Amino acid sequence: MNFKKELAEVIAQAAGIAPEECAAYIEVPPQKEMGDFAFPCFKLAKVLHKAPPVIAKELKETLPLPAFVSDCCVQGGYLNFFIDPSRRAEAVLREIDSMGEAYGSSDAGCGKTVCMDYSSINIAKRCHIGHLTTTVLGNSLAKIYRFLGYKVVSINHLGDWGTQFGKLLCAFHHWGDKAAIEEKGVNALIELYVRFEKEADDAMQEEARVWFKKIEDDDPEALELFSWFKDITLKDVARIYDMLDVHFDSYAGESFYKDKCGAVIEELREKKLLEFSEGAYVVKLDAFDMPPCILLKSDGASIYATRDMAAAFYRKKTYDFDKCLYIVAYQQNLHFKQVFKVIELMGYPWAKDLVHVPFGMVSFEGETLSTRKGHVVYLDEVLDRACEKALDIINEKNPELPDKQKVARQVGIGAVIFYDLFSSRIKDVDFWWDRALNFEGETGPYVQYAHTRCCSVIAKAPVCEVEKADFSVLEDEASKELIAKLEAFPSIVAEAAEKYEPSVITRYSAALAQCYNKFYFENRILSETEPVLQARLLVTKCTRDVLKTALGLLGIAAPQKM
Ligand code: ARG
């Protein structure tokens, strides 16, 4: 069905150039009135020694036009082609029909591995709204890359290292209550930590240091407690991951690299990159307009950057990645620039495959998140509230809906994810309930609703039979627009992957839903004669599949009814 490719072959033959070269020249005109494809004849001016408009005219006269071209005209130095709309519709719909929900996938990434570091929560802390973006953005990118044939290794680089864990162990030792922690989860750990910060005297501070040293030295008692704290935190967050349907291949966090930092430091020393400066060991990066990358405190303790270095080496060795993505807020821009630079300076060419994928901040109904001022919005509360609100809406709009709780979850969570992934990722997001949950406009529920509309048309219709469809009825504007949208889906997915930008798919899905709604209101489906019905039913079925796939790539469910 590749019109462009076939067109390129015909033109190439006539012009005496290679088909691949010709295909690379063919453009899509900026306005659809100008045609579906345009061939820039100035590309041939050098070989043919003629002016582009002359070439265009001659080509038009001599070219054996393929049957799918309905018209062809000269516009300046371009030869423009119009594809016969019903042929185009037929080709697009047949392809989607044969591929179903796999339409848009490819094997472009076959044999390649991408590591993705996302969500990366901190132990003994509660997930707040700030963790939403990294989690859903990473999850979506993982799905998109898998869809394109890549092997994805999803990694939750846990924040489970630092002197604060010594304090926590010390606090637990003094005031801890196992049963209360089992019951209250992370909140109880936070209380302990806060109490320590308030009440600990010098003696306790010293004790905390000793506890941390014990963790460092693999003391069994300390390790057991520490890994229990980890379990408590992960158990809490499991509920969130479950709601978002997010999974990880690895939970190797910072503590996993504690015995792998030494080798990095050793190598930096050998390569004469490490210097002692202002009380710490650093790699100077003045030449690259960056402050020094601090890697070792004077007491020999590693820091965040050291562990990220060790993690990069470990991932390269273990997964042999083609790319390693870090889906982390833009506040850490400098950190990643420094770490990647140091690895490059160590002489590793794969430093260029380390990619920081930054994103903006989330604020809530106009208020920026601030732990200090107490405006903390916890992620589980947001998700719970989204589900409740969705349930309210369903109770109002469609109280008889079967499986209401489940659908409410899909709609509520979907609304939050969609809202977060709608703008390009670097933009700050201000979250408003009524906007996210609106059934009109560019929202998750709106797209999900269009999907249910397709489902209900299909449920009422006879079996879809492509061979009975009359494609010539798909020539009205609404049908043509919808088909053009469906046709664009594979390139949309590719663009989202290339830019690490699921928002390309989010926006697309809203536009596709809109196109379908227009098609639906302007065309009768079920009451038509068989050939017309079959054509429009096929459009509906293809739209349903693409909507479902698009939502799926964002990590959003597509209920059949809502
Ligand atoms: N735990 C860190 C935080 O919450 C994010 C870690 C990101 N990943 C990494 N490899 N540094 O800020």
Side-chain angles (χ1 to χ4, degrees), residues 82 188 196 241 459 479 540:
F82 293 81
F196 181 96
Y241 288 159
S479 300
T540 302

Side-chain angles (χ1 to χ4, degrees), residues 124-414:
K125 288 201 184 137
R126 236 176 114 180
C127 280
H128 53 70
I129 187 81
H131 292 102
L132 177 67
T133 310
T134 170
T135 308
V136 299
L137 185 61
N139 184 47
S140 174
L141 287 173
K143 286 177 190 286
I144 293 169
Y145 272 79
R146 289 197 184 106
F147 197 56
L148 296 180
Y150 291 85
K151 176 170 188 255
V152 173
V153 183
S154 54
I155 304 170
N156 200 324
H157 184 80
L158 297 177
D160 59 0
W161 197 244
T163 47
Q164 74 270 27
F165 295 106
K167 296 180 185 177
L168 191 59
L169 258 67
C170 174
F172 178 78
H173 202 68
H174 283 265
W175 311 305
D177 174 350
K178 240 183 149 124
I181 294 176
E182 289 285 2
E183 193 200 312
K184 282 174 36 191
V186 174
N187 285 334
L189 298 180
I190 295 169
E191 273 169 29
L192 274 180
Y193 187 77
V194 169
R195 181 161 174 200
F196 181 96
E197 290 293 5
K198 264 202 207 125
E199 297 180 21
D201 54 9
D202 289 351
M204 268 181 89
Q205 294 287 358
E206 183 48 36
E207 253 180 69
R209 269 188 288 277
V210 174
W211 273 110
F212 183 62
K213 185 88 181 68
K214 281 188 179 176
I215 310 179
E216 279 188 305
D217 298 341
D218 289 336
D219 169 83
E221 186 194 358
L223 273 197
E224 194 186 317
L225 269 180
F226 181 46
S227 73
W228 177 57
F229 291 159
K230 257 174 132 162
D231 291 345
I232 294 284
T233 313
L234 289 177
K235 214 168 96 196
D236 259 28
V237 84
R239 200 174 85 81
I240 294 177
Y241 288 159
D242 188 44
M243 282 197 267
L244 293 171
D245 198 19
V246 170
H247 310 271
F248 295 93
D249 299 309
S250 161
Y251 279 89
E254 294 186 46
S255 71
F256 179 75
Y257 299 103
K258 69 170 179 187
D259 61 355
K260 298 171 181 65
C261 290
V264 175
I265 296 295
E266 222 23 71
E267 191 176 333
L268 285 167
R269 279 216 172 92
E270 260 166 39
K271 293 186 169 160
K272 307 222 175 323
L273 289 165
L274 207 63
E275 289 176 48
F276 192 77
S277 166
E278 295 177 41
Y281 291 91
V282 305
V283 174
K284 292 226 166 123
L285 298 170
D286 309 3
F288 310 97
D289 285 328
M290 280 186 253
C293 181
I294 306 172
L295 288 162
L296 210 56
K297 293 190 232 165
S298 57
D299 62 0
S302 68
I303 67 159
Y304 183 53
T306 334
R307 296 186 288 273
D308 254 330
M309 302 260 315
F313 286 110
Y314 176 83
R315 291 172 189 172
K316 184 68 195 170
K317 194 176 88 217
T318 311
Y319 307 112
D320 192 23
F321 58 72
D322 292 89
K323 268 198 169 96
C324 180
L325 310 186
Y326 297 80
I327 296 127
V328 184
Y330 63 60
Q331 281 88 345
Q332 296 195 29
N333 275 357
L334 177 63
H335 164 76
F336 287 110
K337 259 174 81 178
Q338 289 177 314
V339 168
F340 300 170
K341 188 49 113 183
V342 174
I343 295 176
E344 183 192 320
L345 292 175
M346 290 169 86
Y348 293 100
W350 51 265
K352 67 170 187 349
D353 305 324
L354 303 168
V355 185
H356 178 210
V357 179
F359 56 83
M361 291 205 303
V362 181
S363 56
F364 219 81
E365 308 229 319
E367 272 194 283
T368 47
L369 182 86
S370 156
T371 323
R372 232 172 306 141
K373 288 190 203 137
H375 297 149
V376 193
V377 182
Y378 292 112
L379 185 48
D380 53 343
E381 287 174 2
V382 170
L383 298 178
D384 284 338
R385 205 142 140 225
C387 298
E388 281 163 27
K389 282 181 180 275
L391 187 61
D392 289 346
I393 297 173
I394 291 172
N395 277 332
E396 186 192 308
K397 288 193 186 232
N398 190 2
E400 304 304 318
L401 182 74
D403 233 349
K404 261 197 290 194
Q405 297 284 348
K406 184 176 166 205
V407 178
R409 243 168 95 129
Q410 295 175 322
V411 173
I413 304 286

Side-chain angles (χ1 to χ4, degrees), residues 8-9 11-23 25 39 44 47:
E9 274 162 22
I11 301 174
Q13 178 111 52
I17 58 172
E20 299 74 39
E21 188 189 350
C22 189
Y25 294 153
F39 183 76
L44 302 176
V47 212

